[in-house]
Amino acid sequence: RSRALATNVSQLRVQLRALFNRVSDGNLDVIMNQVLNALRTTGATAEDAAVAFAEELLPAALENPQNVLVLVGCCAGLTVAVNALVGPQFGAVCIVKAEEHLKRDLHEALTQAASYERDNHKSKARNSVTYLSLLFAYEMLSGASVFSLIRSICSSVTHELHLELCLTVMRYIGGVFCSR
């Protein structure tokens, strides 16, 4: 039984990775339907499927420093839809893993000596902040969570990157936050 479960999770990861590599604003609805089908027909547990979803989606959304807002937004939209249609564990795992990405990339951006590597990690940290901010804008993340995010970024403003990330959060949540 455990071997079959591991095989199901492996197959799900391959399916999800292939789908997430094709995400764009032009095919989001098609990809969303295929993702939902893959998640509903997998033999994996909901917990394993949620981890697989997060671990395949977030690299596509966050780890490419060249990613544009549209792609990050599409991935945030996928997260919100799966969270609503399949289960809240999917969104919860994505939030925790996105915060881990942010912490890692922020640390690397502040400690890397090589300019190229530092810039890559800055861009990845910015992608993480944008993703989390869009989850708030899409009403999946609470105001308290956003305050916690801002507090964690600004707790030790020792670098211009801290300020830049705080401004990125405000850019994407400002209007939404004021209207709530």
Side-chain angles (χ1 to χ4, degrees):
R1 172 130 171 102
S2 124
R3 183 183 293 253
L5 182 60
T7 301
N8 289 341
V9 172
S10 252
Q11 290 172 345
L12 177 62
R13 284 180 178 278
V14 169
Q15 281 182 293
L16 293 174
R17 188 176 311 123
L19 292 169
F20 297 148
N21 284 334
R22 294 185 5 239
V23 167
S24 74
D25 57 333
N27 67 359
L28 190 58
D29 56 340
V30 172
I31 297 292
M32 181 70 239
N33 287 329
Q34 291 173 345
V35 167
L36 289 173
N37 185 49
L39 292 172
R40 289 180 176 148
T41 60
T42 184
T45 66
E47 215 172 282
D48 289 338
V51 170
F53 176 82
E55 289 180 351
E56 297 303 329
L57 175 74
L58 293 177
L62 309 177
E63 290 185 3
N64 183 347
Q66 307 304 318
N67 276 357
V68 293
L69 174 61
V70 172
L71 180 59
V72 176
C74 287
C75 291
L78 279 170
T79 304
V80 172
V82 168
N83 185 69
L85 297 172
V86 182
Q89 67 271 31
F90 288 84
V93 172
C94 285
I95 290 167
V96 168
K97 295 218 176 266
E99 289 172 344
E100 290 170 2
H101 276 265
L102 174 59
K103 286 177 187 171
R104 183 195 64 227
D105 289 320
L106 181 57
H107 173 74
E108 291 295 322
L110 297 174
T111 59
Q112 285 291 329
S115 168
Y116 174 76
E117 283 299 315
R118 189 173 51 247
D119 289 345
N120 277 345
H121 287 290
K122 281 182 182 180
S123 294
K124 292 176 186 181
R126 195 174 311 113
N127 287 344
S128 295
V129 165
T130 301
Y131 174 82
L132 290 166
S133 299
L134 289 173
L135 292 183
F136 173 79
Y138 298 157
E139 298 185 0
M140 191 177 119
L141 202 58
S142 70
S145 297
V146 171
F147 281 129
S148 177
L149 172 65
I150 293 170
R151 194 172 329 138
S152 71
I153 294 169
C154 295
S155 63
S156 61
V157 179
T158 58
H159 194 274
E160 66 187 38
L161 180 58
H162 292 106
L163 182 59
E164 182 182 338
L165 293 176
C166 283
L167 290 173
T168 299
V169 172
M170 295 311 295
R171 176 180 179 195
Y172 294 110
I173 71 156
V176 176
F177 198 73
C178 290
S179 70
R180 286 190 191 168

